[in-house]
Each structure stands twice: as C-alpha cells, then as structure tokens.
DNA sequence: GATGAATGAGGATTCATTCAT
DNA sequence: TATGAATGAATCCTCATTCAT
C-alpha cells in the first residue's frame, strides 16, 4: 500500500537521521564515515543514498533543524516583548532548551563551524547565524540604551561569548535548566554577583 | 660553517612551523594536508619529514608550546598571591596574552579538541588541560569561601565557559587587551554591571 | 539472489587471494605491492579492501591456512601411532603434501619468516611454528630413546634442517612425492645409505 | 699525507661495511635503510656515497666476498683430492667455516636470494652459485659412480638441501664446528645412523 | 672529502559516492 | 527500493639518492 510504504520510508529515514546525529555528536562530523552510519542504522551504505543525497545533506538537515528552531524560539521571545533583562533571560532559556533537543547539532556547530563555513554548500548557515547574532545584539544594545545594561560592553562580542559558551555546554553532562540558570546568573551579574 | 647550518636548519624549521600554524588556524588541522604545508613552505612534501616526524608531531609542538606557556603564566599569577578578584583579573589577562601569541593553537584546540582528545598520542593534552582547569577552579572556589565571589556558581562550570570563550575569541579580529578587558568585566560583574 | 551474490563475493575473494598467492610466491611479500595484486586481479586498488582489511591480512590468511593444515596433518600422523621411523616417514610425506597445496606460503615463510616474525601482528606464526617444532622434536627424541635413531643428533637442530629444506624445496620444480622420497631417504639413511 | 688519508679512507670504509653487515644480518637487507647504516656508522647518509655507489653495491660486496671465499675453499678442497666421502666432509667443514666468517652474507642470501636474483645487478650471484652447485654435484655424482654413495639420490637436489640447511644454520646460535659435525653425520649416515 | 637538506616517486590505506542487479 | 561491490582520487609517510656548500 502506498501509505504504508511512505510511512516505512519515513520511519527508516528518521532512524538513519537519529543514528547520524548520535555518531556526529560522539565522534564529530568528519570523523564519522557514511559506512559507520549505515552500519549502525542496519542498512547498507548504498541505501543511505535513497534517503539522503550526500553526507552533507545529512548534516545540513541536522544543523538546519537546530538553527530553524533556534530562530523560531528567539523570534518568539523578542515578539513577547518585555525589558532587556527579562528578554535576555528568556533568550538564554530558549538557547539551552533548543540545545537540549539538538545536542548533536550544537556539538557539530561548535567543533566544525569553521570548517563547514568554508564550504559554499553551507553558506546558508552563515546567514542564519547572522540573523541569530542580530537578534541577540539588538536586545543587548536596547538594554544599553535603556540603561538596564552597562554601556561599556560590546553587544556582538557578548553574543559570541554566549554562543560559544552555550555550544560548549553541550559537551558537559549537566541538566539544561541548571546550565541555563548558572549561565544567566553569570551573564547578568558576573562572578562578583 | 657548523653554526650557519644549524641556524639555517632552525630557520627553515621555523618557517614550516609558522606556515603550518597559519594553515591550521585557517582551515583546521584535519582539513590541512601535509602537502598544503609543504607547498606553502616552498618545499616538497617529503622534505617536511626532515623537520617533523609526522603531522601529529607538528600540531603537538604547536599545542604544547601554547599549553606550556599557559601553565607557566597561570602558575606565576597564582604564586604572586592577591585576592581572588585580582587573581582572576590577572588570569584573564594572562589567558588573552598567551592566546595572542598562540592564536593557531587556540583555534585548533577549540575546534578539534574533541577529536584530538580521543587519540592516545595526545593524552598529555588532557593532563595539561586538567592542571589548568584545576588552577582556575581553585581560585574561584577560594573567592567563594572568602566571600569575594558569589557562592551559587560552580567553579568548574565557570572555568569551562571561560576556556571556550577565550578560545573562541581567537577567531575574532580584535586586540587582545580589549578582549581581555571586556571579558573580565563581563565575568566579574556581568551585563548588568 | 542472495546466494548468488554471496557466491560471487566469495569467488572474487578467492581470485584475489589466488593472485596474491602467485605474486607473493614469485616476487616475495614485500616486493609485491597492493596495486600489483589489484592490477593482476582486474580490480582497482581500493577494491581490494572490500575483501581484505590490509595487505597483512592477506598474507596472514595465506600463511595461516598453510600452518593450520600442517598442524592438522602432523597431529594426525602422531595420533596414528607407529614407531619413530614410520612416523618420521609420514611426517615427511605430510610436509611435502601440504607444501604442494601451499607453495606460496612455503616460499614466503622461507624468505620472509625473519622479517614477519618481528611484527607483533604475526606473533601467532611463532606460536604455531613452535608447536610444529615440538611435534617433530618429540618424535625424534622418542626414536633416540627407543634406539631406533642414533643418539648423537640433536632433535631440534634436525627439525630446523628439515623445515628449511622443505620450504626451500618449494622453489624447485619437482613433483612433491619424488621430493618427499629423496628427502626421507637422505634423512633416515644419509648419502652413504 | 697521502698514505694516512688512504688509510683513513679505507678504515672508515671498513667500518661502514661492518656496520652494514651487522644490520643486514639483524634486520634483513630491504628492512635496513641507508640512513640506519649511516647513523650506526657515525657518518651522515650523504657520506656513505663516498665509499659505496649505492646500497646495492654495499650488499654486493658483502655477498661477493662470501661467495668468493666459498668458491676458493671449495676449489681447494676438490684440488686436494681424496675419496668422495672425505671430500664431502671437507666441503661441509668449509661451508660452515666460511659461514662463520660471513654470517650476514649467509643470512641475506638465505632470506633474500630470491628477491636479489631477480635484479640484473645481481646476475653474477646466480653464476657464482651455479659454480658452487656444480662443484658439489660433481663430488656427489663421483661418489655414486665409485659406489661410495648410494645411487638413488639426486646430487643437485642434495646440494640444494645442503645449501639451504647451511644458510639457515646462520640463524641459530651454535658453534660452527658443532653444527658442521651434526650436519655431516646427518648427511652421510642419516638419522638411523 | 664531508655534509645534511632536499628530492619525488612510490607505498598502503581511506572513503564518499555510483550503479548494475 | 535495496543492495554492496566497485571506484579512484586523496591522504600520510618512506627512502635511496643527489648536490650545493
């Protein structure tokens, strides 16, 4: 039956994707071979190409779905309104929440962003990250203008610290909410409190 | 003359090392081939092996000299004494100072630490990083005990944020001292100031 | 069909193995390149790695199957019982029989045993050869005790002469049974008869 | 002074030759690199080429001096006359005596004869070995004709067993005279005595 | 003579991808 | 749709030999 076939196809595609996610997270994108993924998925390497055009398509889907969610969440946070501080709080919470659901993507992005960014294939990653950076920077700059946040700290720089700190956190085994809490505390009030 | 030859050898070795540093920084360790380095150094690939046993030796030397300096600097900072806040200030300054002189090492460590850590060849990196982590954690914990620093933030987690933030900063084109200043301000007092 | 595919795979694997056997026999193990084997097998060099993990695996399989058969044959001979002389006769016959079916293995072992024995990968060869040496020595020593064989000749030394003589014989174009006959006559009664 | 220089040159040449002998014996010809020899000789690799045209020249000299001596000894033995048995006894003694002074040559010849024989460069080895084989065969055939030796054993085959047995013996740590004695006893009267 | 850096062809191995079945 | 053998370019590394100094 047509539907059953479609469902099967989709189910297997998801299995492969999930396996790839795990392996990329564990070993890194480049260190994981297509055959590794096929073996761990219970299919043969040739069959992978029924589901995905290439290894790049695979990681692209993993990364894109992370960035898509991230952008969606961030846009939602900003749309909700509120002062800069509470917005930042919700951005941080959103960041760790998304990371929790896309650990592999966070890890790969953290480890291999530089490498991937050089490939034309992944130009759209750069664009998406630029939008994210813009959202954060805008919030911070608004806080500086309103006097909520100190004026002597660069928004873009701060975002970068945040971005890398969040991704790095994917490597640590610690509940997302706890990480988010500590991170926010540090970000807003610093070690001196 | 003997001395001249030695000097030439050393000079060319340094050229190769510098070229490797640049390429590793730009493209990443794995994405840079031995031939890339040879080409850019103006020698044939086989000639590289006069200077370095292997590609791993090359990156090892780059990373080790960074971590060696880092440990030296950090030990000096701690030995100088002072309260936790001033110690942290000097640790941050030291971190950015060392990074400035070892940009490639910082970048590689940031991007490929996960991959390198899995190779037995680089077990010593893990050890060295553990010592560094210990130094930082101890300072933070001391500050918490003395009341200088807030007690609700985990020292090890904080160090990890710092470590990744600093390494990530190697990718940004911004003077080290400015980065250090912003970073320290953020670390101690947070965005709210 | 599944079976057909398996059969094809196996058949081609055997082709590669046979080609490797011939080339190793003709040129020696080290002097034969993986590409030589691939070319002579009608595949590309990369394809060899579907069938064999490495060049070492290839020679290992060739040598192991020889030694396995040799040990099986020798154990059978000893289990059959009989006096020392008749046992020796059957050992010699068995040696030349196995050599006839594993000429390449005999040649490689003869020419490159010293080299291979130094590689950890081939430690098991040493063990297997030790067992073979033990079987032969035991038979000779038993003959000396029973008075069938002269007491002034060292069993281990004799076995070594036999081993190298047999392997060397693989290089000569002469029917195995004739070789075995001449060899046994020489071994038991010497040139003087 | 001219003589002094010549003497020095000759002395160093001998050192290199001796070192090469030892390394070839220990590791085999192909497994020993020119640099290994240079290092162990206390010269630099480039300097080796003042003394020897090539690695092949080096092994050639080692092998040739062995075969030269062997031929000289064998010719002397035959020229001395005597019956076939005593001639054989002196041939065996001569073989082990020469082997004792040229262990490396014996080992290399044993392990890599097949490989070297394929190179045009070493065609003369084949010729020299043919002469040696001729000498031995002639003695054995003479013994068969005179009735001293049994007529059913092929002379050439016997010589081959001897040749390989002797070379193989170079690998065993056992005094040459003892080896010669055991070998001769086995050769003439066999295990049955 | 002596040096030792430089050469460059050639070695084994890997792996994303293709395609006939 | 699924298979899995085949591809072939690319990778790191080796080493006998040369040659400017």
């Amino acid at each position: 039956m047509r539907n059953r076939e479609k469902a099967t196809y989709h189910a297997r595609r998801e299995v492969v994707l999930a396996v790839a996610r795990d392996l990329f997270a564990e070993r890194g994108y480049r260190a994981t071979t297509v055959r590794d993924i096929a073996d761990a998925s219970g299919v043969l390497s040739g069959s992978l190409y029924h589901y995905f055009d290439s290894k790049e398509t695979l990681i692209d889907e993993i990364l894109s779905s992370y960035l898509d969610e991230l952008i969606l969440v961030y846009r939602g946070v900003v749309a909700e309104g509120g002062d800069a501080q509470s917005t930042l709080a919700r951005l941080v919470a959103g960041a760790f929440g998304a990371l929790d659901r896309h650990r592999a993507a966070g890890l790969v992005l953290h480890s291999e962003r530089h490498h991937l960014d050089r490939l034309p294939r992944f130009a759209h990653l750069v664009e998406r990250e630029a939008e994210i950076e813009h959202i954060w920077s805008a919030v911070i700059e608004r806080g500086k203008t309103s006097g909520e946040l100190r004026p002597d700290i660069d928004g873009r720089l701060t975002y970068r610290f945040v971005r890398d700190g969040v991704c790095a956190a994917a490597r640590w085994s610690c509940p997302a909410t706890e990480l988010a809490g500590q991170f926010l505390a540090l970000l807003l009030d610093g070690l001196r409190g």
Side-chain angles (χ1 to χ4, degrees), chain A:
Chain A
M1 207 212 305
R2 191 58 55 82
N3 272 343
R4 166 125 71 191
E5 279 163 13
K6 256 192 186 162
T8 301
Y9 174 87
H10 192 256
R12 295 205 195 170
R13 194 177 194 284
E14 287 303 307
V15 167
V16 172
L17 202 54
V19 165
R21 241 190 283 266
D22 289 347
L23 290 178
F24 288 156
E26 190 188 336
R27 309 179 190 177
Y29 171 65
R30 273 171 295 171
T32 302
T33 72
V34 169
R35 193 165 300 261
D36 288 340
I37 299 170
D39 288 351
S41 304
V43 271
L44 293 195
S45 65
S47 307
L48 273 191
Y49 288 82
H50 286 293
Y51 303 108
F52 301 94
D53 286 351
S54 67
K55 193 187 175 190
E56 291 187 342
T57 303
L58 208 41
I59 190 67
D60 199 350
E61 195 160 324
I62 291 171
L63 296 179
S64 289
S65 94
Y66 173 48
L67 293 180
D68 284 349
E69 175 166 341
L70 217 44
I71 289 180
L72 232 58
V73 167
Y74 288 163
R75 282 183 185 155
V77 164
V78 170
E80 259 181 73
D83 59 24
Q85 290 184 36
S86 86
T87 305
L88 276 179
R90 280 172 289 128
L91 284 179
V92 168
F96 279 97
L99 182 69
D100 208 34
R101 287 183 295 282
H102 299 266
R103 227 183 107 257
L107 289 173
V108 169
L109 223 41
H110 185 236
S111 289
E112 322 207 42
R113 168 186 289 124
H114 183 57
H115 176 244
L116 296 175
D117 279 359
R118 300 167 52 82
L119 308 175
R121 175 75 164 82
F122 294 102
H124 66 100
L125 292 184
V126 179
E127 289 171 30
R128 268 146 145 149
E129 297 214 73
E131 172 165 3
I132 292 177
E133 181 167 324
H134 180 74
I135 295 177
W136 275 79
S137 301
V139 172
I140 294 173
E141 294 303 326
R142 181 158 56 83
K144 286 163 67 173
T145 306
S146 74
E148 280 177 279
L149 302 180
R150 55 198 292 190
D152 59 335
I153 288 191
D154 182 72
R156 207 167 133 272
L157 226 60
T158 305
Y159 165 66
R160 295 273 173 112
F161 284 130
V162 169
R163 181 192 73 177
D164 285 296
V166 171
C167 279
R171 195 92 59 195
W172 317 335
S173 47
C174 197
T177 50
E178 165 148 4
L179 280 172
Q182 293 251 343
F183 194 86
L184 184 65
L186 201 59
L187 182 64
L188 285 183
D189 297 310
L191 271 179
R192 195 141 52 189

